[in-house]
PDB file of all heavy atoms in Angstrom:
ATOM      1  N   LEU A   8      -0.460   9.564 -13.163  1.00  0.00           N
ATOM      2  CA  LEU A   8       0.619   9.328 -14.119  1.00  0.00           C
ATOM      3  C   LEU A   8       1.830   8.785 -13.378  1.00  0.00           C
ATOM      4  O   LEU A   8       2.341   9.422 -12.453  1.00  0.00           O
ATOM      5  CB  LEU A   8       0.977  10.622 -14.855  1.00  0.00           C
ATOM      6  CG  LEU A   8       2.126  10.552 -15.854  1.00  0.00           C
ATOM      7  CD1 LEU A   8       1.812   9.572 -16.982  1.00  0.00           C
ATOM      8  CD2 LEU A   8       2.424  11.933 -16.421  1.00  0.00           C
ATOM      9  N   VAL A   9       2.301   7.613 -13.792  1.00  0.00           N
ATOM     10  CA  VAL A   9       3.392   6.936 -13.110  1.00  0.00           C
ATOM     11  C   VAL A   9       4.733   7.211 -13.762  1.00  0.00           C
ATOM     12  O   VAL A   9       5.711   7.548 -13.093  1.00  0.00           O
ATOM     13  CB  VAL A   9       3.134   5.416 -13.048  1.00  0.00           C
ATOM     14  CG1 VAL A   9       4.318   4.686 -12.432  1.00  0.00           C
ATOM     15  CG2 VAL A   9       1.860   5.133 -12.266  1.00  0.00           C
ATOM     16  N   ALA A  10       4.803   7.041 -15.083  1.00  0.00           N
ATOM     17  CA  ALA A  10       6.067   7.177 -15.796  1.00  0.00           C
ATOM     18  C   ALA A  10       5.812   7.495 -17.254  1.00  0.00           C
ATOM     19  O   ALA A  10       4.806   7.077 -17.825  1.00  0.00           O
ATOM     20  CB  ALA A  10       6.902   5.898 -15.679  1.00  0.00           C
ATOM     21  N   VAL A  11       6.742   8.229 -17.866  1.00  0.00           N
ATOM     22  CA  VAL A  11       6.662   8.625 -19.263  1.00  0.00           C
ATOM     23  C   VAL A  11       7.993   8.328 -19.927  1.00  0.00           C
ATOM     24  O   VAL A  11       9.055   8.533 -19.329  1.00  0.00           O
ATOM     25  CB  VAL A  11       6.347  10.128 -19.408  1.00  0.00           C
ATOM     26  CG1 VAL A  11       6.444  10.574 -20.862  1.00  0.00           C
ATOM     27  CG2 VAL A  11       4.974  10.436 -18.843  1.00  0.00           C
ATOM     28  N   ILE A  12       7.933   7.853 -21.168  1.00  0.00           N
ATOM     29  CA  ILE A  12       9.127   7.752 -21.995  1.00  0.00           C
ATOM     30  C   ILE A  12       8.808   8.389 -23.342  1.00  0.00           C
ATOM     31  O   ILE A  12       7.839   8.033 -24.002  1.00  0.00           O
ATOM     32  CB  ILE A  12       9.635   6.299 -22.129  1.00  0.00           C
ATOM     33  CG1 ILE A  12      10.973   6.276 -22.881  1.00  0.00           C
ATOM     34  CG2 ILE A  12       8.606   5.393 -22.781  1.00  0.00           C
ATOM     35  CD1 ILE A  12      11.747   4.973 -22.680  1.00  0.00           C
ATOM     36  N   THR A  13       9.628   9.360 -23.740  1.00  0.00           N
ATOM     37  CA  THR A  13       9.382  10.125 -24.948  1.00  0.00           C
ATOM     38  C   THR A  13       9.985   9.441 -26.162  1.00  0.00           C
ATOM     39  O   THR A  13      10.662   8.413 -26.064  1.00  0.00           O
ATOM     40  CB  THR A  13       9.959  11.542 -24.818  1.00  0.00           C
ATOM     41  OG1 THR A  13      11.388  11.467 -24.809  1.00  0.00           O
ATOM     42  CG2 THR A  13       9.476  12.216 -23.543  1.00  0.00           C
ATOM     43  N   ILE A  14       9.752  10.044 -27.333  1.00  0.00           N
ATOM     44  CA  ILE A  14      10.293   9.501 -28.575  1.00  0.00           C
ATOM     45  C   ILE A  14      11.821   9.539 -28.566  1.00  0.00           C
ATOM     46  O   ILE A  14      12.459   8.737 -29.236  1.00  0.00           O
ATOM     47  CB  ILE A  14       9.726  10.273 -29.789  1.00  0.00           C
ATOM     48  CG1 ILE A  14       9.892   9.447 -31.063  1.00  0.00           C
ATOM     49  CG2 ILE A  14      10.368  11.644 -29.921  1.00  0.00           C
ATOM     50  CD1 ILE A  14       9.016   8.225 -31.084  1.00  0.00           C
ATOM     51  N   GLY A  15      12.391  10.438 -27.793  1.00  0.00           N
ATOM     52  CA  GLY A  15      13.833  10.500 -27.644  1.00  0.00           C
ATOM     53  C   GLY A  15      14.357   9.706 -26.462  1.00  0.00           C
ATOM     54  O   GLY A  15      15.525   9.837 -26.106  1.00  0.00           O
ATOM     55  N   SER A  16      13.488   8.915 -25.841  1.00  0.00           N
ATOM     56  CA  SER A  16      13.820   8.021 -24.724  1.00  0.00           C
ATOM     57  C   SER A  16      14.154   8.761 -23.437  1.00  0.00           C
ATOM     58  O   SER A  16      14.752   8.184 -22.533  1.00  0.00           O
ATOM     59  CB  SER A  16      14.964   7.071 -25.097  1.00  0.00           C
ATOM     60  OG  SER A  16      14.572   6.213 -26.148  1.00  0.00           O
ATOM     61  N   SER A  17      13.766  10.026 -23.339  1.00  0.00           N
ATOM     62  CA  SER A  17      13.827  10.701 -22.054  1.00  0.00           C
ATOM     63  C   SER A  17      12.723  10.155 -21.156  1.00  0.00           C
ATOM     64  O   SER A  17      11.640   9.812 -21.635  1.00  0.00           O
ATOM     65  CB  SER A  17      13.660  12.206 -22.218  1.00  0.00           C
ATOM     66  OG  SER A  17      14.727  12.759 -22.964  1.00  0.00           O
ATOM     67  N   THR A  18      12.980  10.070 -19.869  1.00  0.00           N
ATOM     68  CA  THR A  18      12.023   9.494 -18.936  1.00  0.00           C
ATOM     69  C   THR A  18      11.691  10.462 -17.813  1.00  0.00           C
ATOM     70  O   THR A  18      12.508  11.299 -17.420  1.00  0.00           O
ATOM     71  CB  THR A  18      12.546   8.185 -18.335  1.00  0.00           C
ATOM     72  OG1 THR A  18      13.796   8.429 -17.671  1.00  0.00           O
ATOM     73  CG2 THR A  18      12.759   7.144 -19.417  1.00  0.00           C
ATOM     74  N   ASN A  19      10.481  10.324 -17.291  1.00  0.00           N
ATOM     75  CA  ASN A  19      10.030  11.071 -16.130  1.00  0.00           C
ATOM     76  C   ASN A  19       9.178  10.161 -15.267  1.00  0.00           C
ATOM     77  O   ASN A  19       8.458   9.299 -15.773  1.00  0.00           O
ATOM     78  CB  ASN A  19       9.227  12.309 -16.540  1.00  0.00           C
ATOM     79  CG  ASN A  19      10.098  13.391 -17.146  1.00  0.00           C
ATOM     80  OD1 ASN A  19      10.827  14.073 -16.435  1.00  0.00           O
ATOM     81  ND2 ASN A  19      10.028  13.552 -18.456  1.00  0.00           N
ATOM     82  N   TYR A  20       9.251  10.369 -13.956  1.00  0.00           N
ATOM     83  CA  TYR A  20       8.553   9.515 -13.006  1.00  0.00           C
ATOM     84  C   TYR A  20       7.824  10.340 -11.967  1.00  0.00           C
ATOM     85  O   TYR A  20       8.262  11.429 -11.592  1.00  0.00           O
ATOM     86  CB  TYR A  20       9.538   8.596 -12.281  1.00  0.00           C
ATOM     87  CG  TYR A  20      10.308   7.677 -13.192  1.00  0.00           C
ATOM     88  CD1 TYR A  20      11.537   8.060 -13.718  1.00  0.00           C
ATOM     89  CD2 TYR A  20       9.807   6.429 -13.526  1.00  0.00           C
ATOM     90  CE1 TYR A  20      12.246   7.213 -14.559  1.00  0.00           C
ATOM     91  CE2 TYR A  20      10.506   5.581 -14.360  1.00  0.00           C
ATOM     92  CZ  TYR A  20      11.726   5.982 -14.878  1.00  0.00           C
ATOM     93  OH  TYR A  20      12.420   5.144 -15.701  1.00  0.00           O
ATOM     94  N   ALA A  21       6.714   9.798 -11.491  1.00  0.00           N
ATOM     95  CA  ALA A  21       6.061  10.374 -10.332  1.00  0.00           C
ATOM     96  C   ALA A  21       6.982  10.254  -9.120  1.00  0.00           C
ATOM     97  O   ALA A  21       7.740   9.287  -8.988  1.00  0.00           O
ATOM     98  CB  ALA A  21       4.747   9.665 -10.059  1.00  0.00           C
ATOM     99  N   ASP A  22       6.919  11.239  -8.233  1.00  0.00           N
ATOM    100  CA  ASP A  22       7.767  11.210  -7.050  1.00  0.00           C
ATOM    101  C   ASP A  22       7.556   9.943  -6.221  1.00  0.00           C
ATOM    102  O   ASP A  22       8.493   9.436  -5.601  1.00  0.00           O
ATOM    103  CB  ASP A  22       7.512  12.440  -6.184  1.00  0.00           C
ATOM    104  CG  ASP A  22       8.073  13.709  -6.789  1.00  0.00           C
ATOM    105  OD1 ASP A  22       8.936  13.628  -7.678  1.00  0.00           O
ATOM    106  OD2 ASP A  22       7.643  14.797  -6.358  1.00  0.00           O
ATOM    107  N   SER A  23       6.345   9.423  -6.230  1.00  0.00           N
ATOM    108  CA  SER A  23       6.021   8.270  -5.412  1.00  0.00           C
ATOM    109  C   SER A  23       6.718   6.990  -5.870  1.00  0.00           C
ATOM    110  O   SER A  23       6.826   6.035  -5.096  1.00  0.00           O
ATOM    111  CB  SER A  23       4.510   8.047  -5.385  1.00  0.00           C
ATOM    112  OG  SER A  23       4.005   7.866  -6.694  1.00  0.00           O
ATOM    113  N   VAL A  24       7.180   6.954  -7.124  1.00  0.00           N
ATOM    114  CA  VAL A  24       7.820   5.747  -7.650  1.00  0.00           C
ATOM    115  C   VAL A  24       9.268   5.976  -8.049  1.00  0.00           C
ATOM    116  O   VAL A  24       9.963   5.013  -8.407  1.00  0.00           O
ATOM    117  CB  VAL A  24       7.045   5.171  -8.851  1.00  0.00           C
ATOM    118  CG1 VAL A  24       5.582   4.956  -8.493  1.00  0.00           C
ATOM    119  CG2 VAL A  24       7.177   6.073 -10.072  1.00  0.00           C
ATOM    120  N   LYS A  25       9.735   7.200  -7.990  1.00  0.00           N
ATOM    121  CA  LYS A  25      11.091   7.523  -8.411  1.00  0.00           C
ATOM    122  C   LYS A  25      12.104   6.720  -7.602  1.00  0.00           C
ATOM    123  O   LYS A  25      12.030   6.654  -6.373  1.00  0.00           O
ATOM    124  CB  LYS A  25      11.333   9.023  -8.259  1.00  0.00           C
ATOM    125  CG  LYS A  25      12.561   9.549  -8.977  1.00  0.00           C
ATOM    126  CD  LYS A  25      12.596  11.082  -8.927  1.00  0.00           C
ATOM    127  CE  LYS A  25      11.381  11.695  -9.618  1.00  0.00           C
ATOM    128  NZ  LYS A  25      11.404  13.179  -9.586  1.00  0.00           N
ATOM    129  N   GLY A  26      13.048   6.116  -8.306  1.00  0.00           N
ATOM    130  CA  GLY A  26      14.051   5.286  -7.665  1.00  0.00           C
ATOM    131  C   GLY A  26      13.643   3.838  -7.498  1.00  0.00           C
ATOM    132  O   GLY A  26      14.494   2.998  -7.173  1.00  0.00           O
ATOM    133  N   ARG A  27      12.369   3.528  -7.714  1.00  0.00           N
ATOM    134  CA  ARG A  27      11.874   2.157  -7.580  1.00  0.00           C
ATOM    135  C   ARG A  27      11.401   1.573  -8.909  1.00  0.00           C
ATOM    136  O   ARG A  27      11.521   0.369  -9.127  1.00  0.00           O
ATOM    137  CB  ARG A  27      10.727   2.095  -6.576  1.00  0.00           C
ATOM    138  CG  ARG A  27      11.109   2.546  -5.174  1.00  0.00           C
ATOM    139  CD  ARG A  27       9.985   2.272  -4.183  1.00  0.00           C
ATOM    140  NE  ARG A  27       8.776   3.028  -4.513  1.00  0.00           N
ATOM    141  CZ  ARG A  27       7.599   2.481  -4.804  1.00  0.00           C
ATOM    142  NH1 ARG A  27       7.474   1.150  -4.809  1.00  0.00           N
ATOM    143  NH2 ARG A  27       6.552   3.240  -5.075  1.00  0.00           N
ATOM    144  N   PHE A  28      10.851   2.413  -9.783  1.00  0.00           N
ATOM    145  CA  PHE A  28      10.304   1.964 -11.066  1.00  0.00           C
ATOM    146  C   PHE A  28      11.196   2.443 -12.204  1.00  0.00           C
ATOM    147  O   PHE A  28      11.803   3.517 -12.127  1.00  0.00           O
ATOM    148  CB  PHE A  28       8.898   2.526 -11.299  1.00  0.00           C
ATOM    149  CG  PHE A  28       7.829   1.962 -10.411  1.00  0.00           C
ATOM    150  CD1 PHE A  28       8.127   1.188  -9.301  1.00  0.00           C
ATOM    151  CD2 PHE A  28       6.497   2.230 -10.699  1.00  0.00           C
ATOM    152  CE1 PHE A  28       7.124   0.686  -8.486  1.00  0.00           C
ATOM    153  CE2 PHE A  28       5.489   1.732  -9.889  1.00  0.00           C
ATOM    154  CZ  PHE A  28       5.799   0.965  -8.789  1.00  0.00           C
ATOM    155  N   THR A  29      11.244   1.666 -13.283  1.00  0.00           N
ATOM    156  CA  THR A  29      11.984   2.033 -14.481  1.00  0.00           C
ATOM    157  C   THR A  29      11.142   1.752 -15.714  1.00  0.00           C
ATOM    158  O   THR A  29      10.660   0.627 -15.889  1.00  0.00           O
ATOM    159  CB  THR A  29      13.308   1.265 -14.583  1.00  0.00           C
ATOM    160  OG1 THR A  29      14.111   1.510 -13.422  1.00  0.00           O
ATOM    161  CG2 THR A  29      14.085   1.709 -15.820  1.00  0.00           C
ATOM    162  N   ILE A  30      10.965   2.762 -16.566  1.00  0.00           N
ATOM    163  CA  ILE A  30      10.252   2.590 -17.823  1.00  0.00           C
ATOM    164  C   ILE A  30      11.266   2.475 -18.954  1.00  0.00           C
ATOM    165  O   ILE A  30      12.304   3.151 -18.953  1.00  0.00           O
ATOM    166  CB  ILE A  30       9.266   3.753 -18.073  1.00  0.00           C
ATOM    167  CG1 ILE A  30       8.385   3.471 -19.303  1.00  0.00           C
ATOM    168  CG2 ILE A  30       9.990   5.085 -18.207  1.00  0.00           C
ATOM    169  CD1 ILE A  30       7.251   4.475 -19.483  1.00  0.00           C
ATOM    170  N   SER A  31      10.988   1.600 -19.917  1.00  0.00           N
ATOM    171  CA  SER A  31      11.868   1.422 -21.056  1.00  0.00           C
ATOM    172  C   SER A  31      11.043   1.011 -22.268  1.00  0.00           C
ATOM    173  O   SER A  31       9.893   0.589 -22.137  1.00  0.00           O
ATOM    174  CB  SER A  31      12.948   0.373 -20.767  1.00  0.00           C
ATOM    175  OG  SER A  31      12.365  -0.892 -20.497  1.00  0.00           O
ATOM    176  N   ARG A  32      11.625   1.145 -23.447  1.00  0.00           N
ATOM    177  CA  ARG A  32      10.941   0.715 -24.663  1.00  0.00           C
ATOM    178  C   ARG A  32      11.894  -0.051 -25.564  1.00  0.00           C
ATOM    179  O   ARG A  32      13.096   0.206 -25.598  1.00  0.00           O
ATOM    180  CB  ARG A  32      10.312   1.910 -25.396  1.00  0.00           C
ATOM    181  CG  ARG A  32      11.283   2.921 -25.961  1.00  0.00           C
ATOM    182  CD  ARG A  32      10.567   4.220 -26.353  1.00  0.00           C
ATOM    183  NE  ARG A  32       9.538   4.006 -27.360  1.00  0.00           N
ATOM    184  CZ  ARG A  32       8.624   4.904 -27.721  1.00  0.00           C
ATOM    185  NH1 ARG A  32       8.608   6.100 -27.133  1.00  0.00           N
ATOM    186  NH2 ARG A  32       7.733   4.618 -28.647  1.00  0.00           N
TER     187      ARG A  32
END
């Protein structure tokens, strides 16, 4: 699991990609 964006647009990232990847909708 790399990244999650919830229905409320909260985001979570794997430690391996945190600070480098951004998820958006």
Side-chain angles (χ1 to χ4, degrees):
L8 178 61
V9 176
V11 173
I12 186 162
T13 69
I14 199 69
S16 296
S17 296
T18 58
N19 288 285
Y20 300 91
D22 287 342
S23 58
V24 307
K25 195 172 299 180
R27 300 188 297 119
F28 290 12
T29 302
I30 188 171
S31 61
R32 66 194 300 168

